[in-house]
Amino acid sequence: MVCNGIQQKVRKKIPPYSKLEPRFQASILYNGATWKGRTIEPFVGGNDGWMQWLVEKDGNGRTATGYFPA
């Protein structure tokens, strides 16, 4: 691919968690993981939300890291 006269390598889009070892996928709930019939959304505005570490006293099931232990 050439952009503004500079040749760039085009990379295939690979899901970020697809090449991790199976123990990670089996024990950590991450963005896009399926759990109990639904997709995990640990981001601002997602169903599982996001909270600020040490700022909010109670997370109410939200995450400060973007991950949950399964």
Side-chain angles (χ1 to χ4, degrees):
M1 172 184 205
V2 177
C3 182
N4 294 330
I6 300 171
Q7 189 170 4
Q8 297 177 349
K9 206 176 209 181
V10 178
R11 295 183 188 185
K12 280 185 172 181
K13 289 194 174 203
I14 299 172
Y17 300 107
S18 66
K19 293 192 175 198
L20 292 175
E21 90 170 58
R23 289 181 292 177
F24 175 85
Q25 293 177 343
S27 60
I28 303 294
L29 299 176
Y30 52 90
N31 186 33
T34 302
W35 186 64
K36 292 190 175 185
R38 67 181 188 88
T39 302
I40 301 299
E41 299 177 347
F43 49 84
V44 174
N47 287 329
D48 302 298
W50 181 82
M51 62 174 278
Q52 292 183 358
W53 177 254
L54 297 178
V55 173
E56 299 179 50
K57 299 261 184 210
D58 186 11
N60 291 321
R62 296 175 298 155
T63 177
T65 64
Y67 302 95
F68 296 97

